[in-house]
Amino acid sequence: MESEHWSKSEKAIARQAFEQALKRECASLMEKVRRRARGIAEPNDLWKLHDFLTKQRRNIDEKYDYRYSVLLFVFARLIGEGWLEEDELAGLSEDKLNRIRRILEWRNQ
Amino acid sequence: MESEHWSKSEKAIARQAFEQALKRECASLMEKVRRRARGIAEPNDLWKLHDFLTKQRRNIDEKYDYRYSVLLFVFARLIGEGWLEEDELAGLSEDKLNRIRRILEWRNQ
């Protein structure tokens, strides 16, 4: 993606949306881990929980990449996965919103 | 340690003691993980739980080594850490029991 300008207000909107999505995904993961932990009945459940956490941690580390060069792709993915609503990005330029929508369409094809 | 003879009955005693200690240590770890998981309140608690599981899994993988060449050291360690009682090894030769005791004394110095 070509380098593009982000205004100060766009950066604030982007940062808030990004943090909000991360907070939601982590809240969901915390609930899943608490539930899985309650169900631990044998040693193998421990190692399955460990594997699950390893995978989820890597997933979150890779997904939440706040470089402006990839941020529209990140937002499209977060919307596609349900961690973010498009209207939480209101205030970004129409061009950026259109590009996010196009990425989403490609994802959904 | 030099190679030594393990009789059939010694092997049975050793295997049972080994499995019993492993079962106890895993039961303790399961309880710790359930308790820690109940206390998860923020994302960082998830990653701390993951780090804890990574460390514990490696610890257990390394510790529970059932090669006869290292088994007396393993038993000494398990007794020293409280996962095994010496009398659960009753039936091993006096020589083996004495060697375990000597290793334990070195550990405790």
Side-chain angles (χ1 to χ4, degrees), chain A residues 72-86:
Chain A
L72 299 186
F73 289 98
V74 173
F75 283 146
R77 182 174 177 187
L78 295 175
I79 292 168
E81 293 180 358
W83 304 116
L84 194 64
E85 298 289 331
E86 193 188 312

Side-chain angles (χ1 to χ4, degrees), chain A residues 11-32:
Chain A
K11 286 181 178 178
I13 290 160
R15 174 57 76 178
Q16 188 174 358
F18 182 93
E19 296 295 341
Q20 191 63 39
L22 177 59
K23 193 173 160 187
R24 284 182 193 128
E25 185 158 4
C26 284
S28 166
L29 181 56
M30 287 189 280
E31 181 48 37
K32 277 184 197 152

Side-chain angles (χ1 to χ4, degrees), chain A residues 23-102:
Chain A
K23 193 173 160 187
R24 284 182 193 128
E25 185 158 4
C26 284
S28 166
L29 181 56
M30 287 189 280
E31 181 48 37
K32 277 184 197 152
V33 168
R34 281 189 293 255
R35 193 168 56 237
R36 284 179 77 124
R38 281 196 300 274
I40 287 173
E42 53 176 278
N44 200 38
D45 297 332
L46 280 174
W47 317 139
K48 284 195 284 186
L49 175 62
H50 179 246
D51 291 339
F52 175 74
L53 273 167
T54 300
K55 191 173 165 189
Q56 293 298 319
R57 188 176 195 169
R58 193 176 300 135
N59 171 47
I60 286 179
D61 280 350
E62 287 172 0
K63 191 192 304 183
Y64 287 86
D65 182 347
Y66 196 79
R67 288 174 297 157
Y68 291 110
S69 59
V70 296
L71 203 48
L72 299 186
F73 289 98
V74 173
F75 283 146
R77 182 174 177 187
L78 295 175
I79 292 168
E81 293 180 358
W83 304 116
L84 194 64
E85 298 289 331
E86 193 188 312
D87 60 15
E88 294 178 283
L89 296 173
L92 299 191
S93 70
E94 264 314 300
D95 177 58
K96 288 191 182 65
L97 292 173
N98 280 328
R99 285 162 73 182
I100 290 171
R101 288 182 199 113
R102 281 204 300 276

